[in-house]
Amino acid sequence: MWFKKMSLAIVFAATFFVLKANASGFIDVRSPNGSVMLTIIHEEDFSILYKVFYKGKTAVEYSRLGMKLKTPDVSLTNFDLTGVDTSAVDETWKPVWGEVSSIRNNYKQLVLKLTDRSGSGIQLQIIFRVFDDGIGFRYLFPLQSSLNHFIIADELTEFDMTGDHKAFWIPGDYDTNEYSYYTSNLNAIDATGGSFAQEIHAKTYFDKNAVQTPLMMKSADGLYFNIHEAALLNYPAMDLVIDKSNFTFRSHLVPDAVGNKAYLQAPAKSPWRTIIVSDKATEILSSKMILNLNDPSKIGETSWIKPQKMIGVWWELHVGKASWDYSGGQVGSQQATKVPHGATTANVKKYIDFAAKNGIDGVLVEGWNTGWEDWFGQWKEDVFDFVTPYPDFDVKELQQYAASKGVKMIMHHETSASVTNYERWMDTAYRFMKQFGYDAVKTGYVGRIIPRGEHHDGQWMVKHYERVLQKTASYKIMVDAHEPVRPTGLHRTYPNFLACEAARGNEFNAWSVGNPPDHETILAFTRLMGGPMDYTPGIFKIKMSYYNPDKKEQVHTTLCKQLALYVTMFSPLQMAADLPENYEAHMDAFQFIKDVAVDWDDSKVIDAEPGDYVITARKAKGKESWFLGAITDENARKFTITPDFLDKNRWYHATIYRDADSADWKNNPEAYVIEKISAYYSREISLKLAPGGGCAISFIPFTAEETEKFKKEAAKLLKEKKKKN
Ligand code: NOJ
Ligand code: CA
């Protein structure tokens, strides 16, 4: 969007230290180290445009901002600029859990105070924050006499990209994000492309040019961009619709049942719109901008919030070995064959035993409550009550058994998207959980939303997800949400929000065409930008023909890549998703899942390229051990890394879990090799990844005794060497 002439109406002092008004009337705001610059202009027609530079290059061309209200009926596009505020923040804060133990929040802020010129008198502010790795901005409707309750018809935000960038996208959709990613230039975006819409139960795509965020892009000259949002609360999610004639994205808010976008009351604010930019892909992955734009924790006492690993009566349901349904019926196309009920007291005890033996914190059980016999697919009102177990699931006995073994039970609440029903039951259900010793719940929203006509990503549901976080927090319950809106960093504000799905998880590999080998390398740059994902890694039995010779489905990775995912995909809640018996057959490889941490003091993205590979190393919270994960797409790759993240004064036992030389995701996915070496910060390690493969490494420091012994041996060797000479 090219501007014509600037309005002469821009009036502000040129004395602010973060910005200067130059002679032609621009407002420039530079990030703390100067790598990002925001430029605002107030056009001759009184519209407001913003532009973003990265290291002197245009990252986002002049793009318009504005709001269209339905009630009152007014377009907020042309403004008087009545004031400008600036400030700067440089602070450090500590997340309750995370990829790093402390986070620097360092930005320059600009607030534009605007008044509508069309006669409504409505005041609007646009707040910009300029970081070294990008910008965030939000609309704020202050308390005012010209506006009280109002309805948003559309948000008129634009993101004008500088060219036909390569993009990693999924179709815009009001209800699901469980798609495989499409990699194409912006020009080739087409959300109607049939193949990726399979197996989606609630699909509502609305425009062939629409995509979802986080949207990842790369320009021909090597700049990386990520567009998303932060602090999505009391507002619908934002999709983006591209105008291919000039590569401009326009915001498209998810509507409600009657086509409105948001119901607000002043003072009110939109979520932050975020543009992360860098010339290094690794810096996109390590950006903390989205977290920094969220509010600090609203939960005061957080000692009950515990990062953890879980196993569960779960994968056996997805592979069709057992059923959620007490009567043994199966979901969807598999309905004809009956299989045993999975959530029996005896079966759950086996999982508890395995967890206790292997240091796994929790056991998730799905299909424990009545309703599964009649839950699927028909927009039914009252299916589940969340407190009535099937007769073969003894809640009390399992509570005692789990407690005696030091294992926590994890609750499952599938709502079948009958959300009004869930809201009626929430208090009762959480009290029931606490009564029987459950501190964490996995929620689920499969199907079309009730209230009918609402969408998973609309304002009504966004408010519901927040109510769940607030209510569970009041009961000291942690949450893992499946089928929610995509995350936007809210885990800073509600740290009991451990993880969510909101993308195409590993489960698709059990019963569909699955996730292509590049999937997890793209997820890092897209879905994971908003927060931790319950991807459910750790599948060791890769081919589903193991369960049923007729099945052609398979996981599209090697076994070692499944291990590496525990590091490349950060989550404070990680599932060891496969069956205990499949782990028992490979306890040497399972050792990595036992050892790997889920909460970290530090994280280093060593190398990465969206759609190709990701290599990440992380230091366990409060410990000296490090873990490394490397994953590749369908191509074999070799890397040589220097583990210079290690403490320079220590030696480490490194255990390398790598693809066997003959391994590949399709024909030989389970072949692996485990090697043990002594590692030192300056000693190179070579990584060899099979097609669709990965590599996982644990670095455990030498004990004091081992170090002593090692030093003595080294001294002895030196002495002998000297003698010889
Ligand atoms: C879909 C979820 O993603 C999956 O994890 C769960 O097992 C089923 N819904 C049943 O609730
Ligand atoms: Ca799902």
Side-chain angles (χ1 to χ4, degrees), residues 681-693:
Y681 80 97
S682 57
R683 261 196 177 182
E684 285 183 346
I685 300 177
S686 47
L687 308 177
K688 199 166 157 243
L689 316 185

Side-chain angles (χ1 to χ4, degrees), residues 178 314 317-318 324 366 372 375 412 414 442 444 446 482-483 501 507:
E178 299 187 3
W314 183 72
L317 310 172
H318 283 268
W324 282 270
E366 296 199 2
W372 291 94
W375 75 290
H412 184 227
E414 174 56 62
K442 170 178 171 180
V446 172
H482 276 232
E483 297 86 31
E501 188 187 39
E507 65 194 42

Side-chain angles (χ1 to χ4, degrees), residues 250-264:
R250 297 205 168 83
S251 57
H252 176 105
L253 302 179
V254 174
D256 76 344
V258 297
N260 294 328
K261 302 297 173 69
Y263 301 79
L264 301 175

Side-chain angles (χ1 to χ4, degrees), residues 485-501:
V485 70
R486 45 207 176 267
T488 57
L490 279 180
H491 52 291
R492 177 176 182 191
T493 312
Y494 297 108
N496 63 325
F497 186 18
L498 292 187
C500 66
E501 188 187 39

